[in-house]
Amino acid sequence: MTTTAITPEGGQASPASMENPALHVDGLWKIFGPRADKIIGTEQANLSRKELQEKTGHVVGIRDVSFDVAPGEVFVVMGLSGSGKSTLVRLLTRLIEPTAGTVELYGEKITGMDDSALLETRRRKVSMVFQHFGLLPHRKVVDNVGFGLEVRGEGKSQRRNRAQEMVDLVGLSGYENNFPDQLSGGMQQRVGLARALAADPEILMFDEPFSALDPLIRRDMQNEVIRLHEEVGKTMVFITHDLAEALKLGDRILIMRDGEIVQIGTPDEVVGAPADEYVRDFTSEVPKSHVLTLKWVMRPDTGEVPADAPALPHDQIVRDAARIVLDHDGPCRVVDGDKVVGVVDDEDILRVVVAEEAH
Amino acid sequence: MAVDTATAVPPPPPARQQENKEEQPYLERGKKRHTGPLLLGILVVWLVVFALLKNHDTRALGLQDTTDFHEWLNRIRDWVQLHGPDNWFFGGVLGFIGDTFNNIFTFLQKLVSIPAFPRPVPQIGWLGVVAVFAWIAWAVAGLRSTILVVITFLLFGVFGLWQDSIDLLLVTILAVLVCFIIGLPLGIAMARRTTMSNIVTPLLDIAQTMPPFAYLAPVALGFGIGPTTAIVLTVVYALPPLVRITEHGIRSVPETTIEAARSLGLTSSQMLRRVELPMAKRTIVVGVNQSMMAALSMATIAALVNGPGLGKPVNAALQIQNIGAASVAGLLIVLMAIMLDRTTTAASERSGGVASVSGPQVLLMGVVLEKLPRWATEDAGRGVRHPRLTNAGKWTIRGLWLIPVLVAVYLSRQQLNFAQFPGRDVWGFLKPIDGKSVTKYINDFSNWFIDKVDTFTLALKNDVTKVVINPFQNLLAESPWWAMALVILAIAFVLGGWRPTVISAVCLAIIFGTGLWNDSMVTLAMTLLATLLVMVVAVILGVGMGRSRRTDTIIRPFLDAFQTIPPFVYLVPALALFGVGRFTAIMAALAYAAPIATKLVADGIRGVAPTTVEAARSTGSTTWQMITKVQLPMARESLVLATNQGLLYVLSMVVIGGLVGGGSLGYIVVSGFSQDQLFGKGLAAGIAITAMGVMLDRIARYAAARVGR
Ligand SMILES: Nc1ncnc2c1ncn2[C@@H]1O[C@H](COP(=O)(O)OP(=O)(O)OP(=O)(O)O)[C@@H](O)[C@H]1O
Ligand SMILES: [Mg+2]
């Protein structure tokens, strides 16, 4: 197991509270069942999911989850089926009522809002994209896209223009008068995307948006999300059970199991320093050289490397640095700014690359 | 390495952790029930008692005889008739409803069907009426329905039954309108609130188990004889399907869509108007279709309490056994049923497929569409050749077509020939095909038939009556009442356990209380025989259909057609073939109940997993073994369900069969309307019918639940 050879450096990035987070989640709980609120705070809350279900018939959806999402960040939540991802994302806009805990959006408390404020939030501040699209079959594409604007009472020509803009943005120009059932799955999800963008929300939430699509279309759509993120720069919370997707899109990744947080970290942290066996299992199939940065493979600098050896930034992906290191005779320096933080040589690189070939 | 691995013993499977092991299911010990031997035992004891105590304690009651209970009901009737008008409930509430509907109905009649004084003809004559209905059919359902509507309406006139036809249509439409106004909100409320659903569903169950004959009398007592009674009866009968289907439609809107809509911040009313109703629209229109078919069949039966419409000529003709006249009116009822069914079905198909071609487009080919002004059409998107009409465009075209309709209405007010459908005196060419001629043709044929062929059918009828119906009926009706009650309870217990036995005991007590025990047993005997017959037919046809797609495609359209025919109409051919008698009623019941039972059996047989059938074939079963050992046993749930439905259908038809000599309860109900002193007895018969329906339904249901496991 070569993974053990990689020494984690700096440990786990702790989800320390941020200054002005876009989304602030604190102590969030969801227990399904008629007497859910009676359970939190008692011993029963400490029981495992299975035990609680056996003893009381209640199911723990989310257990004491806290995290922050920075403005403009793509925050990925991942976990196996049934780990509570969908529940979590629905709690964030109270499509499901939380049992305990707080959710704040740009400083505004979503938990505890009255109904009209909540409607307003859903109409203007948060948009969601769903796995099964949730389009209205009796409306044309353009009317589906403009639906959110319609329910918040915008004028017809205004919302038509905005909807048309969004249709063009997601690359569906020409299809605005089609009905959803005339489109392919990928195109339907583009409509879902356009509908979410039309409201010009502060934050976008995706619940496994591409799971129902075939792999090629899925790749296209992922690139589309990356492009849109670059163009409109929205904060995004993205749910997936596909690690490759998580690594590709995520600035940071939250890994869940049985409704609890297992690890939060950047892609290279998750792969380089899995918090436990569960995460390690998850990440064992990942091509590490595509994810890990030099920081994860370098050795401490013992002063043996000449100052004229190439200097590589510590957050460069291994794969991108491989050419330079392998071409250079002898070790290279790894720098953080001006400071030399370590060295890498051919062997360090090959250990990561070759480990993959063995798989 | 390769050699090593090839010879190496495969490693033992990794030890599973204890908690991952599949849970062992809870073991249920099978109970031996001995249903067959027990039933046989009951039969033997019953026969012994019958042999010993025949004709003792049968509680038989002559037709003109009444009991105290009947007299008590008569007195209630008298009180209602005497004091009703001053009573807040009868005079106030019911009276108000009655007056309102009578007024609306008379207004509509004057508009389209009866002379509107001082005019000698209705406000709108036949030409205008045909044009208006054709336009409506075209707007909601398309060209084909329009043609059907025009032909049907013309035949109303040609057969000389214009007024009765239009009256029947008015009752039906008015009742469906009321159903819609009540049923839609009710269905929506039930879909949104589980408690509401839990309260209303049992009520709908009861309404649907009650044979329509049972509540003719009480409604007639409350609203008097006339249009209101007909409309109320029809509403009671036609409401349940609409409510149920509406609830189902709203509930079946996908959760994912609802959730996506919620995430956009829809209020509850926006959700209803913009998401749930549009998405359930198609299903709701199916509900309207079901409701309309039910309404039509009840509206015809309402003729017995003087309800307006085509039921009246059928009933009158049945009384004097004028087959020809009954057939002509019956034919128009069937045509009307087909017209309503096709039109509403087409409307529902259209309302579902949003992307499909809409009505006006059928008339305006794509070429024309492209030449329309810009606001009237829009590009239909990629991959769709022709542009489509915008809403503005659609309504403009509909408006344009309204012009000829208005011209027709105008003409029908000006010209007598367009106001009153001309008879053979005016339009000579109608002579060979008008109502009188057709009546004569049918009567001639029927007389010829009676002369030549009827010997066979009559012999069949007499033989079956003598060999099967009479003995069985005697067994039930001539056993002492307590023996009979015990037999029924014992059977209920053996088939379904304690609960149906308790329910049956209550129902039997009610039947006993009505004082009509003996007549009830006669009706029960006929119901059971007819159901047996229905099941024989259903199993033979159903197995054939379930096993072969071809057979299915050939037979199913006939079953569909049979199902659209209102039950009342079945009496006509049955009477023509077999004359009056109990056998005739049983045959009518067979025709009425067999289609639904057959369909259920066929679906059950088809539902047997293909893998099971394949496995059975691979063991070398013959076709007969396959049917008897695999397919029928595995479809037994459907068989029981089919029996249950068959029983209820048969019961309601056997009762209606009282009109063609079916005798017993049905005849008593009818007599209750015609003879003053028998009113209470007729009402009691209605109660007995309901109790019997509930009892049979419950026994069958619990038996089904047992068989299902
Ligand atoms: N309404 C509910 N009532 C009871 N339990 C529920 C309910 N909704 C979800 N759960 C349970 O909560 C757990 C988490 O479900 P959730 O749908 O959030 O998982 P997920 O991570 O989204 O899985 P998937 O990848 O399959 O979508 C599951 O065990 C599920 O059974
Ligand atoms: Mg999910």
Side-chain angles (χ1 to χ4, degrees):
Chain A
M1 288 281 132
T2 39
T3 41
T4 47
I6 297 169
T7 46
E9 187 253 15
Q12 238 177 279
S14 66
S17 308
M18 296 175 186
E19 270 300 289
N20 289 311
L23 187 68
H24 172 71
V25 177
D26 191 25
L28 201 60
W29 281 83
K30 177 66 197 181
I31 298 178
F32 293 105
R35 292 161 37 82
D37 44 337
K38 302 263 158 50
I39 289 177
I40 291 173
T42 68
E43 300 264 272
Q44 287 180 321
N46 300 327
L47 293 174
S48 81
R49 193 186 240 190
K50 207 175 160 200
E51 282 169 339
L52 187 74
Q53 186 168 9
E54 265 167 21
K55 289 213 173 116
T56 65
H58 288 63
V59 179
V60 181
I62 291 294
R63 180 195 296 270
D64 197 14
V65 162
S66 310
F67 60 88
D68 284 337
V69 177
E73 186 179 15
V74 180
F75 188 80
V76 173
V77 178
M78 68 163 293
L80 294 178
S81 192
S83 56
K85 311 178 296 288
S86 300
T87 309
L88 176 61
V89 77
R90 280 163 180 71
L91 290 173
L92 300 182
T93 54
R94 281 175 57 197
L95 286 177
I96 300 176
E97 283 296 332
T99 316
T102 50
V103 176
E104 277 176 30
L105 186 72
Y106 287 101
E108 227 185 330
K109 239 180 159 176
I110 297 213
T111 39
M113 258 182 190
D114 60 17
D115 283 355
S116 63
L118 186 61
L119 281 191
E120 206 52 24
T121 305
R122 288 185 191 155
R123 287 176 177 187
R124 303 188 183 272
K125 304 197 175 144
V126 193
S127 291
M128 296 182 74
V129 180
F130 296 89
Q131 181 175 2
H132 298 289
F133 322 142
L135 301 179
L136 298 174
H138 56 282
R139 288 169 159 253
K140 293 182 291 195
V141 165
V142 67
D143 292 333
N144 261 297
V145 173
F147 188 50
L149 307 175
E150 187 182 330
V151 299
R152 71 189 196 199
E154 274 177 36
K156 189 163 181 180
S157 67
Q158 200 184 343
R159 74 175 187 249
R160 277 257 153 170
N161 290 338
R162 174 79 185 160
Q164 187 62 50
E165 249 173 64
M166 292 303 121
V167 169
D168 296 340
L169 181 66
V170 299
L172 283 179
S173 313
Y175 289 100
E176 50 275 351
N177 279 343
N178 286 76
F179 285 93
D181 61 359
Q182 297 169 328
L183 305 182
S184 69
M187 288 157 88
Q188 289 189 31
Q189 193 55 296
R190 281 170 198 263
V191 179
L193 204 54
R195 177 178 63 186
L197 288 168
D200 194 22
E202 288 164 357
I203 184 163
L204 278 163
M205 300 190 180
F206 298 80
D207 185 9
E208 301 197 22
F210 309 141
S211 301
L213 308 179
D214 60 53
L216 281 183
I217 309 283
R218 192 183 309 174
R219 204 181 57 198
D220 276 358
M221 293 298 290
Q222 288 163 353
N223 293 334
E224 189 77 23
V225 167
I226 292 173
R227 181 178 71 82
L228 288 172
H229 186 245
E230 278 162 10
E231 274 179 38
V232 297
K234 304 269 182 220
T235 312
M236 295 182 177
V237 174
F238 195 103
I239 310 280
T240 179
H241 62 234
D242 175 5
L243 185 65
E245 189 168 83
L247 296 172
K248 181 170 180 181
L249 300 176
D251 291 326
R252 281 191 305 144
I253 300 173
L254 185 163
I255 298 183
M256 296 189 71
R257 179 181 51 194
D258 287 355
E260 287 173 85
I261 297 182
V262 183
Q263 184 171 12
I264 300 182
T266 55
D268 55 328
E269 280 168 354
V270 170
V271 175
D276 64 5
E277 274 307 309
Y278 179 74
V279 183
R280 195 188 306 284
D281 260 3
F282 247 125
T283 55
S284 60
E285 300 274 323
V286 179
K288 305 225 162 35
S289 63
H290 294 203
V291 181
L292 291 183
T293 54
L294 290 179
K295 160 169 98 180
W296 295 95
V297 298
M298 67 190 186
R299 290 172 289 126
D301 179 17
T302 47
E304 92 240 34
V305 185
D308 61 343
L312 300 162
H314 72 114
D315 54 357
Q316 188 166 31
I317 305 279
V318 171
R319 184 179 52 169
D320 302 340
R323 197 68 294 148
I324 302 173
V325 178
L326 294 178
D327 281 354
H328 180 72
D329 251 351
C332 300
R333 291 175 302 151
V334 180
V335 296
D336 179 5
D338 300 332
K339 225 179 88 204
V340 176
V341 290
V343 295
V344 285
D345 59 16
D346 296 2
E347 202 182 318
D348 298 320
I349 299 289
L350 288 175
R351 205 166 45 216
V352 182
V353 179
V354 173
E356 268 141 39
E357 307 296 315
H359 268 298
Chain B
M1 274 305 268
V3 179
D4 267 344
T5 44
T7 52
V9 184
R16 286 261 187 97
Q17 282 175 345
Q18 191 60 32
E19 60 181 292
N20 280 353
K21 264 197 183 156
E22 200 178 5
E23 279 175 43
Q24 295 303 309
Y26 163 72
L27 275 180
E28 193 176 4
R29 291 266 208 82
K31 255 196 207 167
K32 268 255 169 253
R33 285 216 172 89
H34 306 295
T35 309
L38 281 174
L39 287 180
L40 201 68
I42 295 171
L43 183 68
V44 170
V45 175
W46 181 14
L47 286 175
V48 171
V49 174
F50 176 72
L52 293 177
L53 296 169
K54 194 172 158 192
N55 278 332
H56 283 77
D57 275 340
T58 59
R59 302 279 148 163
L61 194 69
L63 180 61
Q64 295 298 330
D65 298 337
T66 52
T67 66
D68 290 346
F69 178 61
H70 305 159
E71 293 304 330
W72 181 70
L73 288 174
N74 275 343
R75 281 197 296 281
I76 291 186
R77 188 253 334 248
D78 295 341
W79 183 88
V80 170
Q81 282 177 347
L82 196 63
H83 301 286
D86 312 324
N87 183 280
W88 69 270
F89 180 69
F90 286 98
V93 180
L94 299 188
F96 174 75
I97 297 176
D99 289 346
T100 311
F101 277 112
N102 279 340
N103 288 340
I104 294 177
F105 191 76
T106 318
F107 169 78
L108 289 175
Q109 268 188 315
K110 284 188 178 158
L111 197 62
V112 290
S113 85
I114 59 171
F117 187 77
R119 292 167 59 88
V121 288
Q123 295 287 359
I124 302 177
W126 67 267
L127 185 69
V129 174
V130 173
V132 169
F133 276 93
W135 184 83
I136 294 174
W138 169 72
V140 302
L143 192 58
R144 278 207 234 174
S145 304
T146 314
I147 296 172
L148 188 61
V149 165
V150 170
I151 293 176
T152 309
F153 271 74
L154 289 180
L155 281 174
F156 293 163
V158 171
F159 282 0
L161 290 167
W162 178 264
Q163 190 205 318
D164 281 330
S165 307
I166 299 296
D167 282 352
L168 178 60
L169 201 61
L170 287 181
V171 172
T172 308
I173 291 175
L174 215 55
V176 171
L177 216 63
V178 175
C179 284
F180 195 75
I181 293 169
I182 304 173
L184 194 71
L186 193 59
I188 292 170
M190 286 167 69
R192 296 190 142 202
R193 304 225 173 280
T194 326
T195 37
M196 189 75 182
S197 181
N198 291 342
I199 295 169
V200 178
T201 307
L203 296 179
L204 297 181
D205 280 342
I206 294 177
Q208 286 193 309
T209 331
M210 258 205 293
F213 246 48
Y215 45 88
L216 285 179
V219 174
L221 180 64
F223 293 100
I225 294 245
T228 304
T229 304
I231 292 170
V232 171
L233 283 171
T234 309
V235 168
V236 173
Y237 190 65
L239 188 60
L242 183 65
V243 174
R244 288 216 152 123
I245 296 175
T246 302
E247 180 189 6
H248 170 74
I250 303 256
R251 270 186 203 273
S252 350
V253 176
E255 193 51 44
T256 51
T257 311
I258 300 280
E259 192 166 49
R262 279 181 65 209
S263 84
L264 291 170
L266 268 75
T267 60
S268 158
S269 84
Q270 282 176 326
M271 184 71 84
L272 183 65
R273 276 179 296 118
R274 297 181 200 224
V275 180
E276 289 173 325
L277 282 182
M279 290 189 73
K281 190 167 148 201
R282 180 181 183 150
T283 314
I284 293 174
V285 180
V286 171
V288 170
N289 168 281
Q290 294 292 306
S291 174
M292 198 165 257
M293 301 322 288
L296 182 64
S297 55
M298 192 64 204
T300 36
I301 294 176
L304 294 173
V305 287
N306 213 14
L310 282 171
K312 281 208 281 198
V314 175
N315 193 23
L318 285 178
Q319 301 291 328
I320 53 169
Q321 292 178 46
N322 181 344
I323 302 291
S327 301
V328 167
L331 198 67
L332 287 185
I333 296 176
V334 173
L335 271 175
M336 197 185 291
I338 293 173
M339 169 186 92
L340 293 176
D341 183 39
R342 289 285 89 213
T343 310
T344 43
T345 305
S348 100
E349 270 156 20
R350 167 148 356 139
S351 64
V354 259
S356 68
V357 211
S358 51
Q361 259 161 314
V362 181
L363 287 187
L364 296 160
M365 290 307 164
V367 198
V368 185
L369 275 172
E370 264 142 46
K371 301 221 167 75
L372 287 173
R374 227 170 60 80
W375 51 265
T377 58
E378 66 184 4
D379 180 34
R382 288 214 194 154
V384 187
R385 196 135 36 93
H386 295 305
R388 75 172 150 245
L389 286 166
T390 57
N391 276 335
K394 266 182 213 164
W395 282 106
T396 312
I397 292 169
R398 282 176 192 162
L400 285 177
W401 277 100
L402 211 49
I403 295 171
V405 171
L406 291 176
V407 170
V409 169
Y410 176 77
L411 283 178
S412 78
R413 286 174 62 80
Q414 297 299 316
Q415 309 259 336
L416 188 61
N417 276 349
F418 293 143
Q420 205 165 31
F421 205 89
R424 52 168 70 177
D425 308 331
V426 184
W427 286 355
F429 65 90
L430 286 180
K431 202 166 178 183
I433 53 164
D434 72 355
K436 272 188 209 154
S437 308
V438 176
T439 305
K440 191 168 163 312
Y441 299 150
I442 296 177
N443 275 337
D444 287 348
F445 175 77
S446 144
N447 289 337
W448 171 85
F449 184 84
I450 287 170
D451 283 349
K452 298 283 185 292
V453 188
D454 221 22
T455 43
F456 170 71
T457 55
L458 279 185
L460 178 73
K461 172 181 128 184
N462 291 336
D463 288 349
V464 172
T465 307
K466 210 165 95 195
V467 177
V468 183
I469 302 181
N470 283 346
F472 187 65
Q473 179 183 317
N474 291 346
L475 179 62
L476 266 73
E478 292 179 4
S479 291
W481 73 269
W482 47 266
M484 216 30 242
L486 286 178
V487 167
I488 293 176
L489 291 179
I491 291 176
F493 181 73
V494 172
L495 290 182
W498 273 115
R499 287 172 189 226
T501 313
V502 173
I503 296 172
S504 299
V506 174
C507 291
L508 287 174
I510 292 173
I511 292 175
F512 187 79
T514 60
L516 298 169
W517 181 269
N518 191 257
D519 290 297
S520 300
M521 288 308 118
V522 174
T523 301
L524 181 63
M526 276 164 59
T527 306
L528 293 180
L529 277 180
T531 307
L532 187 71
L533 220 62
V534 166
M535 285 318 291
V536 171
V537 172
V539 167
I540 293 173
L541 289 181
V543 167
M545 286 168 69
R547 286 173 56 86
S548 140
R549 277 263 162 222
R550 268 244 318 275
T551 319
D552 191 284
T553 37
I554 295 169
I555 296 182
R556 199 168 279 265
F558 286 98
L559 300 181
D560 288 341
F562 267 60
Q563 278 190 296
T564 46
I565 301 176
F568 205 44
V569 178
Y570 282 111
L571 295 179
V572 179
L575 186 67
L577 285 173
F578 304 111
V580 291
R582 281 162 297 161
F583 182 75
T584 311
I586 290 180
M587 282 299 133
L590 171 65
Y592 180 53
I596 175 92
T598 305
K599 277 187 182 175
L600 287 170
V601 174
D603 293 346
I605 298 281
R606 168 112 5 94
V608 175
T611 48
T612 315
V613 174
E614 207 165 46
R617 237 207 333 263
S618 75
T619 61
S621 324
T622 62
T623 305
W624 177 249
Q625 284 170 328
M626 177 77 86
I627 294 173
T628 54
K629 292 207 182 337
V630 180
Q631 289 176 317
L632 280 179
M634 289 193 68
R636 62 186 188 275
E637 236 171 303
S638 309
L639 285 178
V640 182
L641 186 64
T643 315
N644 187 9
Q645 285 297 305
L647 265 175
L648 291 178
Y649 272 57
V650 162
L651 178 63
S652 62
M653 195 68 205
V654 159
V655 174
I656 296 176
L659 291 172
V660 290
S664 64
L665 293 181
Y667 190 65
I668 298 174
V669 170
V670 180
S671 314
F673 301 130
S674 52
Q675 300 179 41
D676 235 16
Q677 80 281 8
L678 289 185
F679 174 86
K681 196 172 176 185
L683 197 57
I687 297 173
I689 293 169
T690 309
M692 188 135 70
V694 172
M695 180 177 83
L696 292 175
D697 178 53
R698 289 305 131 129
I699 296 178
R701 267 196 219 194
Y702 281 101
R706 237 184 213 194
V707 165
R709 278 196 281 130

